[in-house]
Amino acid sequence: MVWPYKTVLMVGCTAGLGVAMAERMIEHGSFVIAVGRRKDRLDAFASKHGADKVATSQFDITDLDGIKPWAQG
C-alpha cells in the first residue's frame, strides 16, 4: 500500500485501535504525532519506535474546550 502522507496526527494512541493504526502508519513510512491521555503509555510507544518516527503529546481529546489551546500550544 502506498501511503501518501509523511506526517500524521493520531489520537487515542495509548490503547487498542489507536495504537494499531499508529503502528501501521509508521510501518508505511509516516512520522506519527501520537496523542493520548496516558503519559506512561505514550512514553512506551515513543520508546518502542524512536524519536525519528514518533512525537507524543499528552491530551484528552474529549476535553473540547481545551482543544484550541492545546493545538496552539
Side-chain angles (χ1 to χ4, degrees), residues 37-48:
R37 292 180 294 155
R38 300 177 188 124
K39 183 173 177 7
D40 58 329
R41 291 187 182 187
L42 286 171
D43 291 344
F45 185 78
S47 215
K48 177 181 177 181

Side-chain angles (χ1 to χ4, degrees), residues 26 30-34 42 45-47 49-56:
I26 291 168
S30 293
F31 180 85
V32 173
I33 302 166
L42 286 171
F45 185 78
S47 215
H49 295 287
D52 60 323
K53 296 180 182 167
V54 178
T56 64

Side-chain angles (χ1 to χ4, degrees), residues 22-35:
E23 288 181 338
R24 185 73 170 175
M25 297 296 158
I26 291 168
E27 288 174 15
H28 287 282
S30 293
F31 180 85
V32 173
I33 302 166
V35 181

